[in-house]
Each structure stands twice: as C-alpha cells, then as structure tokens.
C-alpha cells in the first residue's frame, strides 16, 4: 500500500493506493483495509468515517465489490465512491 498526501488545496485528502494488486485475494484485502481504516485510522490522524473509494477499470470493479461486501456484512459504508469506466452488470 502507498499513502499519498495532497498539497495545501486538498489538505484534508489522503489517498491510499493499492498498486494494481488485482489478483487472488484483492477483494479480501480491500475489505480488510477499509475496516482497518474505519477502526484504527484515528491512530494515524485519519477519520475512518470520512472514506471514499475510487478506482478505474478493474480498480472500479474492485471498489464496487468492496462496497457490496461491506453492505452485505452490515458494516459502515464509505461516504461515496468514484468509479471510472468499470464493467458493471446488474442481475
């Protein structure tokens, strides 16, 4: 995981980037990271109640899948998602 902190204009913005780990276990890892940030982010100066997931292409699919797993488990959901050109299908 790579932690990015934006400049002055975005001083309340921190991005945690998963360096294209779109392999077996990626969904479990993404869900675990969100849960960890919600539970322990405050120990690192982060507000775990102010999360937003984002991704493009396969990353958008991973972000959406993470939201679905959290929702189905009854967990607190991030405040939003920015999903760029993913491949979605509703049953």
């Amino acid at each position: 995981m790579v932690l990015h902190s934006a400049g002055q204009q975005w001083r309340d913005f921190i991005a945690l980037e998963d360096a294209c780990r779109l392999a077996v276990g990626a969904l479990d890892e993404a869900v675990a990271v969100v849960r960890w940030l919600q539970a322990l982010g405050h120990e690192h100066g982060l507000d775990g109640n102010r999360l937003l997931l984002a991704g493009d292409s396969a990353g958008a699919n991973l972000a959406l899948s993470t939201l679905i797993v959290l929702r189905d488990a009854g967990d607190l959901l991030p405040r939003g998602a920015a999903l760029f050109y993913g491949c979605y299908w509703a049953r």
Side-chain angles (χ1 to χ4, degrees):
M1 295 290 179
V2 180
L3 185 65
H4 299 282
S5 180
Q8 183 64 25
Q9 178 184 3
W10 297 95
R11 66 182 178 275
D12 294 334
F13 175 81
I14 294 176
L16 187 64
E17 174 186 357
D18 194 352
C20 278
R21 186 183 163 355
L22 299 173
V24 174
L27 179 58
D28 292 337
E29 185 176 298
V31 170
V33 167
V34 170
R35 288 176 174 156
W36 181 86
L37 285 169
Q38 290 172 334
L40 301 173
H42 65 278
E43 294 179 3
H44 302 278
L46 305 173
D47 185 348
N49 295 316
R50 296 181 61 203
L51 300 178
L52 177 113
L53 298 184
D56 65 319
S57 192
N61 295 337
L62 179 59
L64 181 58
S65 296
T66 300
L67 291 169
I68 291 169
V69 169
L70 294 169
R71 179 202 64 193
D72 290 351
D75 291 350
L76 178 68
L77 293 175
R79 286 195 176 187
L83 308 173
F84 303 98
Y85 56 92
C87 181
Y88 315 114
W89 176 64
R91 289 192 249 176

